Amino acid sequence: MSDEKFAPKAQRPVVYGGEFGKLSTANEEVLEENTGVDTLPVADVISQANSTDQATSNAFAEATNQTSDASDNAPSVFLPVHSTSETQVTPVMPVTAEVTTGKPKRKRRRPGWFALIVAVVVASLLGASLGMYAVQLRYQGARPVAIPVAAKRVEPVVTSQGETPDWQAVAETVGGSVVAIRSSNGETGGSGSGVIIDEAGHILTNEHVISNAEEITVTLADGRLYHADIVGFDAATDLAVISLRNAPDNLSVAALGNSDELQVGQAVTAIGNPLGLSHTMTTGIISALNRPVQTVNAQSSTGEAATVLTNAVQIDAAVNPGNSGGPVFDAQGRVIAIASSIASTSTLNGSGAGNIGIGFGIPINLAKNIANQLIENGVAKHAYLGVRIKDGIAQYGNEARLGALVESVEEGTPAAKGNIQSGDVIVGIDGHAVVSAASLTGYVRQYSAGDMVTLRIARNGELQEIDVTLAVRAD
């Protein structure tokens, strides 16, 4: 499947007491006489301090070069390293002595608070600039990520009670937007469901419901029959759009919701044509979100078997053969998914056992994206990352978690441009957890070309985030 050494802090400015760089010979002699210690002219002190500054700067430059070289040849370390000590230059304060010269003693001026504050601010800005440069050089455009720590909870999670959904009102309001579909290619036929998505008569359904069809008949909720034509299909997502011929002007059109706002435990209902029983309504809840589901349509409209991989909405409302392509509504009557597949056990004769409370739907946001492309262009284009991946385990700090292991990166792809590397384990995308290769593929398919996503990866035992702009595969 394709689809973060610190820069040493800037040295504090050396502040010299008295008039800068001036000490009289008389003062020097008094110092030697009173203290018994040889004094050093301030000018020489300044010279030594400057030499020390220069040596420190040279050492810093050498260390920076070594760091740069090491970052190209050694494994990257992404957690920021903070220095626990710093080189300090002790201010040189000349000792003063009273000398009787017959002149009034002039009070020496010391640097004021304003000068000190300015010096500290300049030093801080310089240190921050150097630090940021070193971080950018080290992480090559990526960002270090701290290992997340789960917050402890002791209070009850559920603190409020919701009202029971009025399913009767939902059925009366949106039932008219659900249709039964019958397709035939002259030799074989099949049936499924669909939902009217606009007044022009466009109907959203599954690709496997109308694959290879030569004739399509649609039955509305009130029993009216219409022929329909294929507008476009997308085998990769198992979605298709058909259009009624001579569509009436009094169609019931469904309202489409937002699958990004769904929550586990939310009440839902599926309406469709299971086993040929038109407009059957079942209710339940959302059992899981972003469930990676892979199916194979052996008789795809493309002429070859098509593998469909979706991060599905899992529901426990009864879904059976014939529900395919039908809508899943929330308690407000908005379409939040398109029913597409079920999980079932096998009976003794090898046939499916039907509904066991595990049904899957294509998130409506993905369905809307594909449907809009099919209506406008007849085909749908998919964003891609450009990596070969497999299931993997990421290890960082004292933790381990599931993810998608990058086996290889294709040249010139979004992944290559984003500095994704072989051996990285992708564990998140835009805040969503990636738990497998299929999970990552399912998420990427929900995006459009040109979208920027933030990937969270584990590399060399550390977490890192990288922004990648997705593109359309050339083929």
Side-chain angles (χ1 to χ4, degrees):
M1 283 176 290
S2 293
D3 246 339
E4 128 191 1
K5 147 155 168 99
F6 58 90
K9 296 182 179 179
Q11 293 179 342
R12 297 193 178 98
V14 179
V15 181
Y16 303 96
E19 283 187 63
F20 185 74
K22 293 183 179 181
L23 185 66
S24 66
T25 303
N27 285 349
E28 295 176 8
E29 294 174 351
V30 171
L31 287 173
E32 293 175 0
E33 178 180 353
N34 292 343
T35 64
V37 179
D38 292 340
T39 58
L40 188 65
V42 173
D44 293 339
V45 173
I46 297 172
S47 176
Q48 289 185 12
N50 290 337
S51 299
T52 301
D53 291 344
Q54 184 62 43
T56 303
S57 300
N58 292 339
F60 170 62
E62 180 179 356
T64 304
N65 293 331
Q66 293 174 353
T67 300
S68 177
D69 294 338
S71 65
D72 294 333
N73 301 313
S76 299
V77 179
F78 298 101
L79 287 182
V81 180
H82 299 284
S83 175
T84 57
S85 62
E86 64 180 61
T87 302
Q88 298 189 5
V89 179
T90 304
V92 178
M93 304 294 296
V95 180
T96 59
E98 292 192 14
V99 179
T100 303
T101 61
K103 296 182 181 181
K105 186 166 53 178
R106 184 173 56 185
K107 183 181 294 185
R108 298 178 181 273
R109 299 183 59 185
R110 299 174 181 268
W113 283 107
F114 178 76
L116 180 59
I117 293 174
V118 170
V120 171
V121 171
V122 171
S124 300
L125 292 176
L126 178 59
S129 300
L130 292 174
M132 288 298 295
Y133 174 77
V135 169
Q136 293 175 358
L137 179 65
R138 181 66 174 173
Y139 299 117
Q140 299 178 348
R143 303 179 297 277
V145 179
I147 298 175
V149 179
K152 295 182 178 179
R153 296 184 62 116
V154 294
E155 73 278 7
V157 175
V158 180
T159 58
S160 62
Q161 296 180 350
E163 297 181 357
T164 302
D166 189 347
W167 292 126
Q168 183 177 355
V170 172
E172 293 175 352
T173 303
V174 305
S177 65
V178 184
V179 303
I181 301 174
R182 178 75 183 179
S183 64
S184 173
N185 61 5
E187 298 180 358
T188 61
S191 63
S193 307
V195 60
I196 301 172
I197 59 175
D198 62 26
E199 295 180 347
H202 290 113
I203 296 171
L204 180 59
T205 187
N206 284 144
E207 188 271 340
H208 75 259
V209 170
I210 53 86
S211 60
N212 302 306
E214 296 178 359
E215 184 178 355
I216 301 175
T217 303
V218 175
T219 304
L220 303 186
D222 59 6
R224 288 179 290 175
L225 293 173
Y226 290 88
H227 289 292
D229 299 310
I230 298 176
V231 175
F233 61 85
D234 182 51
T237 56
D238 193 22
L239 289 168
V241 173
I242 61 176
S243 180
L244 298 176
R245 297 179 189 173
N246 303 314
D249 56 7
N250 61 345
L251 292 172
S252 295
V253 178
L256 306 184
N258 183 357
S259 52
D260 287 343
E261 298 178 350
L262 299 180
Q263 297 180 348
V264 173
Q266 182 175 334
V268 294
T269 180
I271 304 179
N273 184 37
L275 306 176
L277 303 174
S278 62
H279 293 85
T280 297
M281 180 179 187
T282 59
T283 61
I285 64 169
I286 294 176
S287 303
L289 294 170
N290 299 310
R291 178 76 73 194
V293 175
Q294 181 172 313
T295 60
V296 177
N297 181 9
Q299 298 179 342
S300 168
S301 299
T302 61
E304 18 180 85
T307 298
V308 181
L309 206 161
T310 307
N311 282 358
V313 178
Q314 180 181 328
I315 62 176
D316 72 347
V319 175
N320 288 283
N323 274 109
S324 292
V328 178
F329 296 96
D330 62 15
Q332 288 72 45
R334 298 168 297 202
V335 181
I336 54 93
I338 299 298
S340 59
S341 60
I342 61 173
S344 64
T345 59
S346 296
T347 59
L348 294 177
N349 61 9
S351 61
N355 170 70
I356 59 171
I358 304 178
F360 305 106
I362 302 169
I364 195 60
N365 287 8
L366 172 58
K368 285 189 292 187
N369 179 23
I370 299 300
N372 289 336
Q373 293 188 64
L374 294 178
I375 293 173
E376 183 175 354
N377 305 312
V379 296
K381 296 181 178 181
H382 299 280
Y384 86 115
L385 190 56
V387 292
R388 181 178 296 277
I389 53 178
K390 68 177 182 179
D391 295 347
I393 298 178
Q395 295 183 339
Y396 49 87
N398 296 321
E399 298 185 9
R401 59 163 299 158
L402 300 175
L405 173 63
V406 178
E407 293 188 293
S408 61
V409 180
E410 300 177 34
E411 293 184 3
T413 63
K417 295 177 182 179
N419 195 34
I420 298 298
Q421 301 174 11
S422 176
D424 290 344
V425 181
I426 301 175
V427 298
I429 179 171
D430 280 353
H432 299 290
V434 171
V435 298
S436 64
S439 173
L440 177 60
T441 301
Y443 278 122
V444 172
R445 286 186 176 179
Q446 296 179 19
Y447 293 92
S448 300
D451 288 346
M452 177 179 288
V453 298
T454 298
L455 298 178
R456 178 168 290 191
I457 68 171
R459 180 188 295 170
N460 297 329
E462 303 293 345
L463 283 179
Q464 181 179 1
E465 283 187 347
I466 298 178
D467 295 329
V468 177
T469 300
L470 302 178
V472 175
R473 186 178 293 277
D475 57 1

